[in-house]
Amino acid sequence: METFTEDEYRSLSDHKDQMTLLFVKSPEGRLAEVGFMIDASPRTLGFPPEKYALFEENMKKYVRFSVTEDEKRLRFSRAFYFLHFENLHLHYLKSGGGTPIGPDAELKE
């Protein structure tokens, strides 16, 4: 299930909204926890908590990290990412109900 609709994504991108994502990752490179630091904008503050819960659920499902040998020896390690929506290039498929795919994936209608 997509996290942001095409219209929501376009609005976030057009207004240059951003958020900081804080990750706790396992030695296997899986995402254990996600924290959000969001801009105080009407768009990001207007999303209900369920939207961010879905965002976390989808990241845990699809995001994997490469881990160093040092990180593999730790129980958990941390990372962070500055997400600038204007630099995130998603493509929404027209025929598939609007599921976004990344810029390196092959577009199929």
Side-chain angles (χ1 to χ4, degrees), residues 25 27 66-75 77-78:
K25 54 187 178 173
S66 297
V67 292
T68 66
E69 289 302 316
D70 288 336
E71 289 174 317
K72 289 178 183 177
R73 290 192 294 268
L74 299 172
R75 186 166 175 203
S77 60
R78 297 178 295 174

Side-chain angles (χ1 to χ4, degrees), residues 3-4 12 19 34 36 38-39 43-59:
T3 302
F4 298 104
L12 290 165
M19 67 176 65
V34 179
F36 301 96
I38 60 175
D39 279 355
R43 288 155 306 281
T44 55
L45 293 175
F47 292 127
E50 295 81 18
K51 176 71 77 172
Y52 290 102
L54 178 60
F55 192 21
E56 179 177 2
E57 180 183 321
N58 284 337
M59 282 191 290

Side-chain angles (χ1 to χ4, degrees), residues 1-6 91-101:
M1 171 180 269
E2 69 187 34
T3 302
F4 298 104
T5 66
E6 189 171 358
H91 305 282
Y92 286 80
L93 300 177
K94 302 293 184 216
S95 61
T99 303
I101 60 174

